[in-house]
Amino acid sequence: MVSTEQLINDCVLFQSVTPEEMDELLDQAETEDFPEGVRILDEGNSTRYLWIIQRGTCEVRKQLSNGDEQTLTELGPLSIFGEMSFFKPAPHSASVVATSDVSIVRIPWKNFDQLLKAGVSGAQKVVYNTVRIMSDRLRTMDKWSAEMVESCGTKNKNAEWHEFRSKLYSDWQF
């Protein structure tokens, strides 16, 4: 099992969180174990938890239009998931499946929101770190998507991609 010290030192989500702040956050958290093969999150469903893997591995899977699933990535100890639905209520964009026995810590939104409203600095640091994580993931996805479109090689696909990117960055409404 991952110690509090490891969470602070090695999990990007908790960078710059003090031990006292971590205790406040963990007081609001829940723990759960999942056996290998269990679907922890289902694409299309909605839960509002921020999940941190303490032990084991999971795959993030996206359903394809033909019904198959594509593995997007594998997550190991100290990885996080569920952050998009945590901060903005929406159905999960992918499924997460345990590929080994998994122990997790999860923070429910309602508890976390209370910490934010109370001005708890540890919660504010988690928000900041989550933005950094999501920015890195978006940057990677942007690079991958651009390379994928470039490899298609058709002018029509490139034009569609540039139009999509333009709308993505200018037409967002929150």
Side-chain angles (χ1 to χ4, degrees):
M1 205 61 73
V2 174
S3 69
T4 300
E5 184 178 335
Q6 282 180 291
L7 283 172
I8 293 170
N9 293 332
D10 300 329
C11 183
V12 175
L13 185 64
F14 300 114
Q15 280 185 345
S16 75
V17 172
T18 67
E20 295 78 21
E21 292 167 338
M22 181 59 86
D23 288 342
E24 278 185 288
L25 291 167
L26 292 178
D27 283 346
Q28 301 302 315
E30 304 169 353
T31 59
E32 190 168 353
D33 295 329
F34 296 91
E36 180 179 351
V38 166
R39 296 177 79 81
I40 299 171
L41 294 181
D42 275 315
E43 182 176 349
N45 288 346
S46 184
T47 59
R48 293 200 67 193
Y49 291 99
L50 188 56
W51 306 76
I52 303 103
I53 300 173
Q54 286 195 291
R55 178 182 53 83
T57 57
C58 297
E59 285 182 350
V60 178
R61 299 177 184 172
K62 180 77 179 155
Q63 187 163 6
L64 304 173
S65 59
N66 66 5
D68 291 341
E69 284 187 325
Q70 174 69 46
T71 298
L72 301 177
T73 193
E74 185 172 301
L75 303 173
L78 303 175
S79 297
I80 69 160
F81 60 91
E83 68 280 358
M84 291 190 315
S85 296
F86 184 70
F87 287 103
K88 183 171 182 179
H92 299 300
S93 62
S95 297
V96 176
V97 179
T99 54
S100 70
D101 292 345
V102 175
S103 294
I104 59 93
V105 172
R106 65 179 176 216
I107 303 171
W109 170 254
K110 62 182 173 133
N111 298 8
F112 189 79
D113 189 43
Q114 290 173 353
L115 294 175
L116 283 176
K117 287 177 180 173
V120 172
S121 60
Q124 294 167 349
K125 290 174 183 178
V126 166
V127 171
Y128 175 79
N129 290 333
T130 302
V131 169
R132 291 178 52 223
I133 291 165
M134 293 177 75
S135 294
D136 286 344
R137 289 179 181 176
L138 182 58
R139 183 175 291 109
T140 299
M141 183 59 71
D142 192 38
K143 181 178 183 285
W144 178 84
S145 299
E147 289 171 355
M148 182 67 90
V149 170
E150 295 277 329
S151 72
C152 290
T154 67
K155 288 184 181 183
N156 189 31
K157 290 289 183 192
N158 284 339
E160 287 177 30
W161 168 245
H162 290 291
E163 182 180 342
F164 169 77
R165 284 185 57 186
S166 175
K167 287 181 181 179
L168 180 68
Y169 291 103
S170 63
D171 291 348
W172 279 3
Q173 294 180 4
F174 297 96

mmCIF file with all atom_site columns, all heavy atoms in Angstrom, residues 17-43:
data_model
loop_
_atom_site.group_PDB
_atom_site.id
_atom_site.type_symbol
_atom_site.label_atom_id
_atom_site.label_alt_id
_atom_site.label_comp_id
_atom_site.label_asym_id
_atom_site.label_entity_id
_atom_site.label_seq_id
_atom_site.pdbx_PDB_ins_code
_atom_site.Cartn_x
_atom_site.Cartn_y
_atom_site.Cartn_z
_atom_site.occupancy
_atom_site.B_iso_or_equiv
_atom_site.pdbx_formal_charge
_atom_site.auth_seq_id
_atom_site.auth_comp_id
_atom_site.auth_asym_id
_atom_site.auth_atom_id
_atom_site.pdbx_PDB_model_num
ATOM 1   N N   . VAL A 1 17 ? 1.578   19.640  -1.447  1.00 0.00 ? 17 VAL A N   1
ATOM 2   C CA  . VAL A 1 17 ? 0.646   19.475  -0.328  1.00 0.00 ? 17 VAL A CA  1
ATOM 3   C C   . VAL A 1 17 ? 1.468   19.087  0.906   1.00 0.00 ? 17 VAL A C   1
ATOM 4   O O   . VAL A 1 17 ? 2.337   18.224  0.840   1.00 0.00 ? 17 VAL A O   1
ATOM 5   C CB  . VAL A 1 17 ? -0.412  18.387  -0.648  1.00 0.00 ? 17 VAL A CB  1
ATOM 6   C CG1 . VAL A 1 17 ? -1.261  18.048  0.555   1.00 0.00 ? 17 VAL A CG1 1
ATOM 7   C CG2 . VAL A 1 17 ? -1.297  18.840  -1.811  1.00 0.00 ? 17 VAL A CG2 1
ATOM 8   N N   . THR A 1 18 ? 1.192   19.728  2.026   1.00 0.00 ? 18 THR A N   1
ATOM 9   C CA  . THR A 1 18 ? 1.901   19.417  3.264   1.00 0.00 ? 18 THR A CA  1
ATOM 10  C C   . THR A 1 18 ? 1.293   18.170  3.912   1.00 0.00 ? 18 THR A C   1
ATOM 11  O O   . THR A 1 18 ? 0.155   17.801  3.601   1.00 0.00 ? 18 THR A O   1
ATOM 12  C CB  . THR A 1 18 ? 1.807   20.581  4.266   1.00 0.00 ? 18 THR A CB  1
ATOM 13  O OG1 . THR A 1 18 ? 0.444   20.705  4.691   1.00 0.00 ? 18 THR A OG1 1
ATOM 14  C CG2 . THR A 1 18 ? 2.310   21.889  3.662   1.00 0.00 ? 18 THR A CG2 1
ATOM 15  N N   . PRO A 1 19 ? 2.013   17.534  4.829   1.00 0.00 ? 19 PRO A N   1
ATOM 16  C CA  . PRO A 1 19 ? 1.435   16.376  5.535   1.00 0.00 ? 19 PRO A CA  1
ATOM 17  C C   . PRO A 1 19 ? 0.123   16.719  6.256   1.00 0.00 ? 19 PRO A C   1
ATOM 18  O O   . PRO A 1 19 ? -0.809  15.918  6.251   1.00 0.00 ? 19 PRO A O   1
ATOM 19  C CB  . PRO A 1 19 ? 2.534   15.975  6.522   1.00 0.00 ? 19 PRO A CB  1
ATOM 20  C CG  . PRO A 1 19 ? 3.802   16.408  5.859   1.00 0.00 ? 19 PRO A CG  1
ATOM 21  C CD  . PRO A 1 19 ? 3.437   17.706  5.158   1.00 0.00 ? 19 PRO A CD  1
ATOM 22  N N   . GLU A 1 20 ? 0.049   17.906  6.824   1.00 0.00 ? 20 GLU A N   1
ATOM 23  C CA  . GLU A 1 20 ? -1.185  18.308  7.517   1.00 0.00 ? 20 GLU A CA  1
ATOM 24  C C   . GLU A 1 20 ? -2.340  18.467  6.527   1.00 0.00 ? 20 GLU A C   1
ATOM 25  O O   . GLU A 1 20 ? -3.464  18.053  6.798   1.00 0.00 ? 20 GLU A O   1
ATOM 26  C CB  . GLU A 1 20 ? -0.968  19.624  8.286   1.00 0.00 ? 20 GLU A CB  1
ATOM 27  C CG  . GLU A 1 20 ? 0.032   19.525  9.424   1.00 0.00 ? 20 GLU A CG  1
ATOM 28  C CD  . GLU A 1 20 ? 1.499   19.534  8.963   1.00 0.00 ? 20 GLU A CD  1
ATOM 29  O OE1 . GLU A 1 20 ? 1.814   19.995  7.836   1.00 0.00 ? 20 GLU A OE1 1
ATOM 30  O OE2 . GLU A 1 20 ? 2.338   19.048  9.747   1.00 0.00 ? 20 GLU A OE2 1
ATOM 31  N N   . GLU A 1 21 ? -2.053  19.074  5.386   1.00 0.00 ? 21 GLU A N   1
ATOM 32  C CA  . GLU A 1 21 ? -3.079  19.230  4.346   1.00 0.00 ? 21 GLU A CA  1
ATOM 33  C C   . GLU A 1 21 ? -3.507  17.871  3.802   1.00 0.00 ? 21 GLU A C   1
ATOM 34  O O   . GLU A 1 21 ? -4.692  17.633  3.546   1.00 0.00 ? 21 GLU A O   1
ATOM 35  C CB  . GLU A 1 21 ? -2.559  20.107  3.208   1.00 0.00 ? 21 GLU A CB  1
ATOM 36  C CG  . GLU A 1 21 ? -2.338  21.554  3.613   1.00 0.00 ? 21 GLU A CG  1
ATOM 37  C CD  . GLU A 1 21 ? -1.534  22.352  2.603   1.00 0.00 ? 21 GLU A CD  1
ATOM 38  O OE1 . GLU A 1 21 ? -0.790  21.750  1.788   1.00 0.00 ? 21 GLU A OE1 1
ATOM 39  O OE2 . GLU A 1 21 ? -1.643  23.592  2.634   1.00 0.00 ? 21 GLU A OE2 1
ATOM 40  N N   . MET A 1 22 ? -2.539  16.967  3.661   1.00 0.00 ? 22 MET A N   1
ATOM 41  C CA  . MET A 1 22 ? -2.855  15.622  3.180   1.00 0.00 ? 22 MET A CA  1
ATOM 42  C C   . MET A 1 22 ? -3.775  14.910  4.159   1.00 0.00 ? 22 MET A C   1
ATOM 43  O O   . MET A 1 22 ? -4.721  14.225  3.747   1.00 0.00 ? 22 MET A O   1
ATOM 44  C CB  . MET A 1 22 ? -1.572  14.813  2.959   1.00 0.00 ? 22 MET A CB  1
ATOM 45  C CG  . MET A 1 22 ? -1.847  13.413  2.441   1.00 0.00 ? 22 MET A CG  1
ATOM 46  S SD  . MET A 1 22 ? -2.730  13.380  0.873   1.00 0.00 ? 22 MET A SD  1
ATOM 47  C CE  . MET A 1 22 ? -1.394  13.518  -0.250  1.00 0.00 ? 22 MET A CE  1
ATOM 48  N N   . ASP A 1 23 ? -3.534  15.066  5.447   1.00 0.00 ? 23 ASP A N   1
ATOM 49  C CA  . ASP A 1 23 ? -4.420  14.459  6.451   1.00 0.00 ? 23 ASP A CA  1
ATOM 50  C C   . ASP A 1 23 ? -5.845  14.974  6.296   1.00 0.00 ? 23 ASP A C   1
ATOM 51  O O   . ASP A 1 23 ? -6.800  14.201  6.382   1.00 0.00 ? 23 ASP A O   1
ATOM 52  C CB  . ASP A 1 23 ? -3.907  14.739  7.869   1.00 0.00 ? 23 ASP A CB  1
ATOM 53  C CG  . ASP A 1 23 ? -2.653  13.947  8.213   1.00 0.00 ? 23 ASP A CG  1
ATOM 54  O OD1 . ASP A 1 23 ? -2.355  12.942  7.516   1.00 0.00 ? 23 ASP A OD1 1
ATOM 55  O OD2 . ASP A 1 23 ? -1.962  14.338  9.174   1.00 0.00 ? 23 ASP A OD2 1
ATOM 56  N N   . GLU A 1 24 ? -5.995  16.284  6.050   1.00 0.00 ? 24 GLU A N   1
ATOM 57  C CA  . GLU A 1 24 ? -7.338  16.857  5.838   1.00 0.00 ? 24 GLU A CA  1
ATOM 58  C C   . GLU A 1 24 ? -8.010  16.243  4.610   1.00 0.00 ? 24 GLU A C   1
ATOM 59  O O   . GLU A 1 24 ? -9.199  15.926  4.641   1.00 0.00 ? 24 GLU A O   1
ATOM 60  C CB  . GLU A 1 24 ? -7.258  18.374  5.635   1.00 0.00 ? 24 GLU A CB  1
ATOM 61  C CG  . GLU A 1 24 ? -7.173  19.186  6.893   1.00 0.00 ? 24 GLU A CG  1
ATOM 62  C CD  . GLU A 1 24 ? -7.219  20.672  6.594   1.00 0.00 ? 24 GLU A CD  1
ATOM 63  O OE1 . GLU A 1 24 ? -6.223  21.201  6.056   1.00 0.00 ? 24 GLU A OE1 1
ATOM 64  O OE2 . GLU A 1 24 ? -8.261  21.296  6.892   1.00 0.00 ? 24 GLU A OE2 1
ATOM 65  N N   . LEU A 1 25 ? -7.247  16.081  3.539   1.00 0.00 ? 25 LEU A N   1
ATOM 66  C CA  . LEU A 1 25 ? -7.795  15.499  2.317   1.00 0.00 ? 25 LEU A CA  1
ATOM 67  C C   . LEU A 1 25 ? -8.169  14.034  2.530   1.00 0.00 ? 25 LEU A C   1
ATOM 68  O O   . LEU A 1 25 ? -9.257  13.596  2.135   1.00 0.00 ? 25 LEU A O   1
ATOM 69  C CB  . LEU A 1 25 ? -6.788  15.622  1.170   1.00 0.00 ? 25 LEU A CB  1
ATOM 70  C CG  . LEU A 1 25 ? -6.518  17.028  0.660   1.00 0.00 ? 25 LEU A CG  1
ATOM 71  C CD1 . LEU A 1 25 ? -5.289  17.048  -0.231  1.00 0.00 ? 25 LEU A CD1 1
ATOM 72  C CD2 . LEU A 1 25 ? -7.736  17.566  -0.081  1.00 0.00 ? 25 LEU A CD2 1
ATOM 73  N N   . LEU A 1 26 ? -7.280  13.286  3.168   1.00 0.00 ? 26 LEU A N   1
ATOM 74  C CA  . LEU A 1 26 ? -7.535  11.859  3.374   1.00 0.00 ? 26 LEU A CA  1
ATOM 75  C C   . LEU A 1 26 ? -8.669  11.610  4.361   1.00 0.00 ? 26 LEU A C   1
ATOM 76  O O   . LEU A 1 26 ? -9.332  10.572  4.295   1.00 0.00 ? 26 LEU A O   1
ATOM 77  C CB  . LEU A 1 26 ? -6.256  11.144  3.803   1.00 0.00 ? 26 LEU A CB  1
ATOM 78  C CG  . LEU A 1 26 ? -5.169  11.057  2.729   1.00 0.00 ? 26 LEU A CG  1
ATOM 79  C CD1 . LEU A 1 26 ? -3.920  10.376  3.275   1.00 0.00 ? 26 LEU A CD1 1
ATOM 80  C CD2 . LEU A 1 26 ? -5.667  10.333  1.483   1.00 0.00 ? 26 LEU A CD2 1
ATOM 81  N N   . ASP A 1 27 ? -8.918  12.559  5.260   1.00 0.00 ? 27 ASP A N   1
ATOM 82  C CA  . ASP A 1 27 ? -10.065 12.437  6.167   1.00 0.00 ? 27 ASP A CA  1
ATOM 83  C C   . ASP A 1 27 ? -11.380 12.432  5.390   1.00 0.00 ? 27 ASP A C   1
ATOM 84  O O   . ASP A 1 27 ? -12.393 11.920  5.869   1.00 0.00 ? 27 ASP A O   1
ATOM 85  C CB  . ASP A 1 27 ? -10.090 13.581  7.187   1.00 0.00 ? 27 ASP A CB  1
ATOM 86  C CG  . ASP A 1 27 ? -9.078  13.393  8.304   1.00 0.00 ? 27 ASP A CG  1
ATOM 87  O OD1 . ASP A 1 27 ? -8.546  12.278  8.455   1.00 0.00 ? 27 ASP A OD1 1
ATOM 88  O OD2 . ASP A 1 27 ? -8.808  14.390  9.021   1.00 0.00 ? 27 ASP A OD2 1
ATOM 89  N N   . GLN A 1 28 ? -11.370 13.023  4.198   1.00 0.00 ? 28 GLN A N   1
ATOM 90  C CA  . GLN A 1 28 ? -12.574 13.091  3.361   1.00 0.00 ? 28 GLN A CA  1
ATOM 91  C C   . GLN A 1 28 ? -12.625 11.974  2.325   1.00 0.00 ? 28 GLN A C   1
ATOM 92  O O   . GLN A 1 28 ? -13.586 11.871  1.568   1.00 0.00 ? 28 GLN A O   1
ATOM 93  C CB  . GLN A 1 28 ? -12.628 14.441  2.637   1.00 0.00 ? 28 GLN A CB  1
ATOM 94  C CG  . GLN A 1 28 ? -12.633 15.634  3.559   1.00 0.00 ? 28 GLN A CG  1
ATOM 95  C CD  . GLN A 1 28 ? -13.805 15.602  4.531   1.00 0.00 ? 28 GLN A CD  1
ATOM 96  O OE1 . GLN A 1 28 ? -14.926 15.323  4.149   1.00 0.00 ? 28 GLN A OE1 1
ATOM 97  N NE2 . GLN A 1 28 ? -13.528 15.873  5.799   1.00 0.00 ? 28 GLN A NE2 1
ATOM 98  N N   . ALA A 1 29 ? -11.604 11.149  2.275   1.00 0.00 ? 29 ALA A N   1
ATOM 99  C CA  . ALA A 1 29 ? -11.477 10.124  1.231   1.00 0.00 ? 29 ALA A CA  1
ATOM 100 C C   . ALA A 1 29 ? -12.053 8.791   1.672   1.00 0.00 ? 29 ALA A C   1
ATOM 101 O O   . ALA A 1 29 ? -12.288 8.544   2.859   1.00 0.00 ? 29 ALA A O   1
ATOM 102 C CB  . ALA A 1 29 ? -10.001 9.962   0.859   1.00 0.00 ? 29 ALA A CB  1
ATOM 103 N N   . GLU A 1 30 ? -12.264 7.944   0.683   1.00 0.00 ? 30 GLU A N   1
ATOM 104 C CA  . GLU A 1 30 ? -12.719 6.568   0.897   1.00 0.00 ? 30 GLU A CA  1
ATOM 105 C C   . GLU A 1 30 ? -11.692 5.645   0.259   1.00 0.00 ? 30 GLU A C   1
ATOM 106 O O   . GLU A 1 30 ? -10.990 6.046   -0.664  1.00 0.00 ? 30 GLU A O   1
ATOM 107 C CB  . GLU A 1 30 ? -14.073 6.349   0.198   1.00 0.00 ? 30 GLU A CB  1
ATOM 108 C CG  . GLU A 1 30 ? -15.149 7.323   0.620   1.00 0.00 ? 30 GLU A CG  1
ATOM 109 C CD  . GLU A 1 30 ? -16.393 7.267   -0.283  1.00 0.00 ? 30 GLU A CD  1
ATOM 110 O OE1 . GLU A 1 30 ? -16.365 6.564   -1.323  1.00 0.00 ? 30 GLU A OE1 1
ATOM 111 O OE2 . GLU A 1 30 ? -17.379 7.932   0.054   1.00 0.00 ? 30 GLU A OE2 1
ATOM 112 N N   . THR A 1 31 ? -11.614 4.424   0.743   1.00 0.00 ? 31 THR A N   1
ATOM 113 C CA  . THR A 1 31 ? -10.743 3.424   0.117   1.00 0.00 ? 31 THR A CA  1
ATOM 114 C C   . THR A 1 31 ? -11.601 2.247   -0.331  1.00 0.00 ? 31 THR A C   1
ATOM 115 O O   . THR A 1 31 ? -12.654 1.979   0.242   1.00 0.00 ? 31 THR A O   1
ATOM 116 C CB  . THR A 1 31 ? -9.656  2.923   1.090   1.00 0.00 ? 31 THR A CB  1
ATOM 117 O OG1 . THR A 1 31 ? -10.288 2.344   2.231   1.00 0.00 ? 31 THR A OG1 1
ATOM 118 C CG2 . THR A 1 31 ? -8.741  4.052   1.526   1.00 0.00 ? 31 THR A CG2 1
ATOM 119 N N   . GLU A 1 32 ? -11.139 1.586   -1.368  1.00 0.00 ? 32 GLU A N   1
ATOM 120 C CA  . GLU A 1 32 ? -11.855 0.402   -1.850  1.00 0.00 ? 32 GLU A CA  1
ATOM 121 C C   . GLU A 1 32 ? -10.880 -0.470  -2.628  1.00 0.00 ? 32 GLU A C   1
ATOM 122 O O   . GLU A 1 32 ? -9.951  0.028   -3.262  1.00 0.00 ? 32 GLU A O   1
ATOM 123 C CB  . GLU A 1 32 ? -13.039 0.796   -2.737  1.00 0.00 ? 32 GLU A CB  1
ATOM 124 C CG  . GLU A 1 32 ? -13.936 -0.377  -3.058  1.00 0.00 ? 32 GLU A CG  1
ATOM 125 C CD  . GLU A 1 32 ? -15.266 0.013   -3.689  1.00 0.00 ? 32 GLU A CD  1
ATOM 126 O OE1 . GLU A 1 32 ? -15.576 1.215   -3.781  1.00 0.00 ? 32 GLU A OE1 1
ATOM 127 O OE2 . GLU A 1 32 ? -15.994 -0.903  -4.091  1.00 0.00 ? 32 GLU A OE2 1
ATOM 128 N N   . ASP A 1 33 ? -11.126 -1.765  -2.575  1.00 0.00 ? 33 ASP A N   1
ATOM 129 C CA  . ASP A 1 33 ? -10.348 -2.739  -3.333  1.00 0.00 ? 33 ASP A CA  1
ATOM 130 C C   . ASP A 1 33 ? -11.220 -3.316  -4.440  1.00 0.00 ? 33 ASP A C   1
ATOM 131 O O   . ASP A 1 33 ? -12.422 -3.520  -4.252  1.00 0.00 ? 33 ASP A O   1
ATOM 132 C CB  . ASP A 1 33 ? -9.861  -3.877  -2.425  1.00 0.00 ? 33 ASP A CB  1
ATOM 133 C CG  . ASP A 1 33 ? -8.884  -3.400  -1.361  1.00 0.00 ? 33 ASP A CG  1
ATOM 134 O OD1 . ASP A 1 33 ? -8.145  -2.436  -1.622  1.00 0.00 ? 33 ASP A OD1 1
ATOM 135 O OD2 . ASP A 1 33 ? -8.863  -4.001  -0.273  1.00 0.00 ? 33 ASP A OD2 1
ATOM 136 N N   . PHE A 1 34 ? -10.592 -3.571  -5.600  1.00 0.00 ? 34 PHE A N   1
ATOM 137 C CA  . PHE A 1 34 ? -11.285 -4.158  -6.742  1.00 0.00 ? 34 PHE A CA  1
ATOM 138 C C   . PHE A 1 34 ? -10.471 -5.349  -7.240  1.00 0.00 ? 34 PHE A C   1
ATOM 139 O O   . PHE A 1 34 ? -9.254  -5.227  -7.406  1.00 0.00 ? 34 PHE A O   1
ATOM 140 C CB  . PHE A 1 34 ? -11.414 -3.144  -7.878  1.00 0.00 ? 34 PHE A CB  1
ATOM 141 C CG  . PHE A 1 34 ? -12.262 -1.956  -7.529  1.00 0.00 ? 34 PHE A CG  1
ATOM 142 C CD1 . PHE A 1 34 ? -11.690 -0.813  -6.990  1.00 0.00 ? 34 PHE A CD1 1
ATOM 143 C CD2 . PHE A 1 34 ? -13.633 -1.977  -7.743  1.00 0.00 ? 34 PHE A CD2 1
ATOM 144 C CE1 . PHE A 1 34 ? -12.464 0.295   -6.670  1.00 0.00 ? 34 PHE A CE1 1
ATOM 145 C CE2 . PHE A 1 34 ? -14.412 -0.875  -7.430  1.00 0.00 ? 34 PHE A CE2 1
ATOM 146 C CZ  . PHE A 1 34 ? -13.833 0.259   -6.891  1.00 0.00 ? 34 PHE A CZ  1
ATOM 147 N N   . PRO A 1 35 ? -11.124 -6.475  -7.516  1.00 0.00 ? 35 PRO A N   1
ATOM 148 C CA  . PRO A 1 35 ? -10.391 -7.611  -8.071  1.00 0.00 ? 35 PRO A CA  1
ATOM 149 C C   . PRO A 1 35 ? -10.103 -7.409  -9.558  1.00 0.00 ? 35 PRO A C   1
ATOM 150 O O   . PRO A 1 35 ? -10.778 -6.624  -10.240 1.00 0.00 ? 35 PRO A O   1
ATOM 151 C CB  . PRO A 1 35 ? -11.331 -8.795  -7.849  1.00 0.00 ? 35 PRO A CB  1
ATOM 152 C CG  . PRO A 1 35 ? -12.693 -8.200  -7.761  1.00 0.00 ? 35 PRO A CG  1
ATOM 153 C CD  . PRO A 1 35 ? -12.516 -6.809  -7.224  1.00 0.00 ? 35 PRO A CD  1
ATOM 154 N N   . GLU A 1 36 ? -9.116  -8.111  -10.046 1.00 0.00 ? 36 GLU A N   1
ATOM 155 C CA  . GLU A 1 36 ? -8.761  -8.071  -11.465 1.00 0.00 ? 36 GLU A CA  1
ATOM 156 C C   . GLU A 1 36 ? -10.002 -8.327  -12.319 1.00 0.00 ? 36 GLU A C   1
ATOM 157 O O   . GLU A 1 36 ? -10.820 -9.188  -12.011 1.00 0.00 ? 36 GLU A O   1
ATOM 158 C CB  . GLU A 1 36 ? -7.696  -9.135  -11.758 1.00 0.00 ? 36 GLU A CB  1
ATOM 159 C CG  . GLU A 1 36 ? -7.257  -9.173  -13.200 1.00 0.00 ? 36 GLU A CG  1
ATOM 160 C CD  . GLU A 1 36 ? -6.190  -10.217 -13.459 1.00 0.00 ? 36 GLU A CD  1
ATOM 161 O OE1 . GLU A 1 36 ? -5.658  -10.805 -12.491 1.00 0.00 ? 36 GLU A OE1 1
ATOM 162 O OE2 . GLU A 1 36 ? -5.889  -10.449 -14.639 1.00 0.00 ? 36 GLU A OE2 1
ATOM 163 N N   . GLY A 1 37 ? -10.134 -7.553  -13.384 1.00 0.00 ? 37 GLY A N   1
ATOM 164 C CA  . GLY A 1 37 ? -11.232 -7.732  -14.331 1.00 0.00 ? 37 GLY A CA  1
ATOM 165 C C   . GLY A 1 37 ? -12.453 -6.873  -14.064 1.00 0.00 ? 37 GLY A C   1
ATOM 166 O O   . GLY A 1 37 ? -13.322 -6.739  -14.928 1.00 0.00 ? 37 GLY A O   1
ATOM 167 N N   . VAL A 1 38 ? -12.543 -6.259  -12.897 1.00 0.00 ? 38 VAL A N   1
ATOM 168 C CA  . VAL A 1 38 ? -13.714 -5.444  -12.555 1.00 0.00 ? 38 VAL A CA  1
ATOM 169 C C   . VAL A 1 38 ? -13.646 -4.097  -13.281 1.00 0.00 ? 38 VAL A C   1
ATOM 170 O O   . VAL A 1 38 ? -12.586 -3.482  -13.372 1.00 0.00 ? 38 VAL A O   1
ATOM 171 C CB  . VAL A 1 38 ? -13.804 -5.239  -11.024 1.00 0.00 ? 38 VAL A CB  1
ATOM 172 C CG1 . VAL A 1 38 ? -14.794 -4.132  -10.669 1.00 0.00 ? 38 VAL A CG1 1
ATOM 173 C CG2 . VAL A 1 38 ? -14.190 -6.516  -10.350 1.00 0.00 ? 38 VAL A CG2 1
ATOM 174 N N   . ARG A 1 39 ? -14.795 -3.653  -13.781 1.00 0.00 ? 39 ARG A N   1
ATOM 175 C CA  . ARG A 1 39 ? -14.912 -2.323  -14.383 1.00 0.00 ? 39 ARG A CA  1
ATOM 176 C C   . ARG A 1 39 ? -15.169 -1.328  -13.256 1.00 0.00 ? 39 ARG A C   1
ATOM 177 O O   . ARG A 1 39 ? -16.227 -1.339  -12.651 1.00 0.00 ? 39 ARG A O   1
ATOM 178 C CB  . ARG A 1 39 ? -16.037 -2.312  -15.405 1.00 0.00 ? 39 ARG A CB  1
ATOM 179 C CG  . ARG A 1 39 ? -15.771 -3.249  -16.579 1.00 0.00 ? 39 ARG A CG  1
ATOM 180 C CD  . ARG A 1 39 ? -16.950 -3.279  -17.539 1.00 0.00 ? 39 ARG A CD  1
ATOM 181 N NE  . ARG A 1 39 ? -16.954 -2.116  -18.407 1.00 0.00 ? 39 ARG A NE  1
ATOM 182 C CZ  . ARG A 1 39 ? -16.209 -1.995  -19.500 1.00 0.00 ? 39 ARG A CZ  1
ATOM 183 N NH1 . ARG A 1 39 ? -15.396 -2.963  -19.861 1.00 0.00 ? 39 ARG A NH1 1
ATOM 184 N NH2 . ARG A 1 39 ? -16.286 -0.914  -20.232 1.00 0.00 ? 39 ARG A NH2 1
ATOM 185 N N   . ILE A 1 40 ? -14.196 -0.491  -12.992 1.00 0.00 ? 40 ILE A N   1
ATOM 186 C CA  . ILE A 1 40 ? -14.298 0.482   -11.914 1.00 0.00 ? 40 ILE A CA  1
ATOM 187 C C   . ILE A 1 40 ? -15.174 1.653   -12.351 1.00 0.00 ? 40 ILE A C   1
ATOM 188 O O   . ILE A 1 40 ? -16.024 2.118   -11.596 1.00 0.00 ? 40 ILE A O   1
ATOM 189 C CB  . ILE A 1 40 ? -12.894 0.943   -11.478 1.00 0.00 ? 40 ILE A CB  1
ATOM 190 C CG1 . ILE A 1 40 ? -12.096 -0.257  -10.955 1.00 0.00 ? 40 ILE A CG1 1
ATOM 191 C CG2 . ILE A 1 40 ? -12.989 2.050   -10.425 1.00 0.00 ? 40 ILE A CG2 1
ATOM 192 C CD1 . ILE A 1 40 ? -10.633 0.020   -10.699 1.00 0.00 ? 40 ILE A CD1 1
ATOM 193 N N   . LEU A 1 41 ? -14.957 2.124   -13.564 1.00 0.00 ? 41 LEU A N   1
ATOM 194 C CA  . LEU A 1 41 ? -15.788 3.160   -14.174 1.00 0.00 ? 41 LEU A CA  1
ATOM 195 C C   . LEU A 1 41 ? -16.298 2.646   -15.505 1.00 0.00 ? 41 LEU A C   1
ATOM 196 O O   . LEU A 1 41 ? -15.557 1.988   -16.235 1.00 0.00 ? 41 LEU A O   1
ATOM 197 C CB  . LEU A 1 41 ? -14.993 4.440   -14.457 1.00 0.00 ? 41 LEU A CB  1
ATOM 198 C CG  . LEU A 1 41 ? -14.442 5.256   -13.317 1.00 0.00 ? 41 LEU A CG  1
ATOM 199 C CD1 . LEU A 1 41 ? -13.729 6.486   -13.855 1.00 0.00 ? 41 LEU A CD1 1
ATOM 200 C CD2 . LEU A 1 41 ? -15.531 5.670   -12.367 1.00 0.00 ? 41 LEU A CD2 1
ATOM 201 N N   . ASP A 1 42 ? -17.540 2.992   -15.837 1.00 0.00 ? 42 ASP A N   1
ATOM 202 C CA  . ASP A 1 42 ? -18.103 2.637   -17.137 1.00 0.00 ? 42 ASP A CA  1
ATOM 203 C C   . ASP A 1 42 ? -18.324 3.896   -17.958 1.00 0.00 ? 42 ASP A C   1
ATOM 204 O O   . ASP A 1 42 ? -18.964 4.840   -17.482 1.00 0.00 ? 42 ASP A O   1
ATOM 205 C CB  . ASP A 1 42 ? -19.446 1.908   -16.975 1.00 0.00 ? 42 ASP A CB  1
ATOM 206 C CG  . ASP A 1 42 ? -19.279 0.424   -16.751 1.00 0.00 ? 42 ASP A CG  1
ATOM 207 O OD1 . ASP A 1 42 ? -18.471 -0.193  -17.473 1.00 0.00 ? 42 ASP A OD1 1
ATOM 208 O OD2 . ASP A 1 42 ? -19.958 -0.112  -15.866 1.00 0.00 ? 42 ASP A OD2 1
ATOM 209 N N   . GLU A 1 43 ? -17.804 3.877   -19.164 1.00 0.00 ? 43 GLU A N   1
ATOM 210 C CA  . GLU A 1 43 ? -18.025 4.977   -20.093 1.00 0.00 ? 43 GLU A CA  1
ATOM 211 C C   . GLU A 1 43 ? -19.527 5.238   -20.210 1.00 0.00 ? 43 GLU A C   1
ATOM 212 O O   . GLU A 1 43 ? -20.323 4.310   -20.320 1.00 0.00 ? 43 GLU A O   1
ATOM 213 C CB  . GLU A 1 43 ? -17.442 4.611   -21.458 1.00 0.00 ? 43 GLU A CB  1
ATOM 214 C CG  . GLU A 1 43 ? -17.566 5.684   -22.501 1.00 0.00 ? 43 GLU A CG  1
ATOM 215 C CD  . GLU A 1 43 ? -16.875 5.308   -23.805 1.00 0.00 ? 43 GLU A CD  1
ATOM 216 O OE1 . GLU A 1 43 ? -16.125 4.314   -23.857 1.00 0.00 ? 43 GLU A OE1 1
ATOM 217 O OE2 . GLU A 1 43 ? -17.098 6.038   -24.786 1.00 0.00 ? 43 GLU A OE2 1
#
